[in-house]
Amino acid sequence: MQFQGTADYIADKDLMVAVNAAIRLERPLLVKGEPGTGKTELARQVAAALGLDLIEWNIKSTTKAQQGLYEYDAVSRLRDSQLGDERVHDVANYIRRGKLWQAFASDRKLVLLIDEIDKADIEFPNDLLQELDRMEFHVYETGEMVCAKVRPIVIITSNNEKELPDAFLRRCFFHYIRFPDVDTLARIVEVHYPGIKQALVRNALTQFYEIREMPGLKKKPSTSEALDWIRLLVSDDVDPSDLRGDARNALPKLHGALLKNEQDVHLFERMAFMARRER
């Protein structure tokens, strides 16, 4: 079972090595990188390339580790007991399976994505240590032990918003997705927009990287934002020669796709004002 990328996802050699190493070691693959660099999409493409089903667990700030295992609906059971419902005699009727339980119950190998684990409370990763390591957990209400029938491929993503515990990191294979260089990003653009004018791509990417290197920029535009921007340039049939060669001299065309806060917009406006004064 080897991941070698897909026609829809440009994966460099190091990333493919990391995915295949995690599969061989049967360890969770922890993927970090800037937002928009394809961490979530990686799990989908691994599943597609290997012909496996995918279960996605999208983590929020309020998500608890227990929700990934199961939840006991005591309120519904109380209500049913008051109504005389026969279901109340079997507590299993009020156990809702979480994403980990669904993955463990599968008869065939699949990919389990735990997306943006750093959004949750700092104790969240620690609360999943044993379950991800041993691939089993105990259901206290029914007394059963849930064990994975087939060990899933676990891919965990993080935007590095907070540090993860050392004990958790020890159990993972780690890979950092670096921001793509201009040649790689050009290949990614070609995958999404085959046959696009190369002159437009060349000029757009030149300006895009100038924007990313702008001193004082609060939020650098990501790969996904570059794709959105180029899509708009194509749909508006922008002439490649109309793109400014130096991003510091003016706001880029359709800048709302790239600049996502007022501080960065004001930064470009100040740079443009200063450039006009110097002429």
Side-chain angles (χ1 to χ4, degrees), residues 185-224:
L185 189 49
R187 290 169 57 205
I188 293 172
V189 171
E190 180 63 29
V191 165
H192 285 80
Y193 311 119
I196 189 174
K197 296 176 184 176
Q198 290 305 304
L200 176 60
V201 173
R202 202 162 45 244
N203 289 9
L205 292 185
T206 296
Q207 188 172 37
F208 175 76
Y209 280 93
E210 287 175 353
I211 292 169
R212 277 186 56 89
E213 293 167 7
M214 177 73 74
L217 200 66
K218 184 175 181 181
K219 182 196 176 299
K220 294 182 178 182
S222 68
T223 304
S224 61

Side-chain angles (χ1 to χ4, degrees), residues 219-273:
K219 182 196 176 299
K220 294 182 178 182
S222 68
T223 304
S224 61
E225 288 160 342
L227 292 172
D228 287 345
W229 184 52
I230 292 174
R231 179 183 177 185
L232 289 173
L233 295 177
V234 171
S235 64
D236 281 11
D237 198 23
V238 173
D239 192 298
S241 61
D242 289 342
L243 289 173
R244 299 295 297 260
D246 186 353
R248 293 170 295 182
N249 289 342
L251 279 166
K253 289 182 180 295
L254 303 165
H255 65 269
L258 298 176
L259 306 178
K260 298 303 177 74
N261 59 69
E262 63 278 11
Q263 295 97 319
D264 289 343
V265 173
H266 291 160
L267 174 64
F268 273 81
E269 290 173 339
R270 288 195 301 272
M271 296 296 293
F273 175 74

Side-chain angles (χ1 to χ4, degrees), residues 18-87:
V19 171
N20 292 320
I23 292 173
R24 286 197 301 273
L25 292 172
E26 296 189 326
R27 295 277 190 180
L29 173 63
L30 174 61
V31 184
K32 290 187 179 183
E34 289 183 33
T37 49
K39 300 184 297 297
T40 301
E41 187 61 23
L42 171 65
R44 296 168 183 159
Q45 294 299 325
V46 169
L50 301 180
L52 305 178
D53 292 332
L54 172 68
I55 292 179
E56 295 189 36
W57 185 14
N58 299 301
I59 307 303
K60 302 178 181 179
S61 59
T62 55
T63 303
K64 303 298 181 185
Q66 181 64 33
Q67 294 171 307
L69 308 180
Y70 69 92
E71 292 184 272
Y72 170 51
D73 191 353
V75 174
S76 293
R77 192 181 189 196
L78 175 61
R79 183 189 62 239
D80 288 348
S81 69
Q82 293 170 338
L83 297 174
D85 193 322
E86 289 299 318
R87 296 173 69 251

Side-chain angles (χ1 to χ4, degrees), residues 77-144:
R77 192 181 189 196
L78 175 61
R79 183 189 62 239
D80 288 348
S81 69
Q82 293 170 338
L83 297 174
D85 193 322
E86 289 299 318
R87 296 173 69 251
V88 75
H89 299 298
D90 185 358
V91 68
N93 291 323
Y94 303 94
I95 301 292
R96 294 188 218 168
R97 295 185 177 187
K99 299 294 186 180
L100 262 71
W101 192 334
Q102 293 172 31
F104 289 3
S106 175
D107 291 322
R108 59 192 300 266
K109 203 171 192 66
L110 51 74
V111 176
L112 171 64
L113 168 64
I114 304 177
D115 200 25
E116 298 189 334
I117 194 172
D118 53 325
K119 279 187 176 180
D121 183 84
I122 189 62
E123 291 304 318
F124 181 92
N126 280 333
D127 292 341
L128 290 177
L129 285 179
Q130 298 303 320
E131 288 78 7
L132 290 177
D133 195 28
R134 299 180 181 174
M135 288 287 155
E136 64 181 24
F137 63 88
H138 184 253
V139 182
Y140 297 99
E141 289 77 8
T142 63
E144 67 179 304

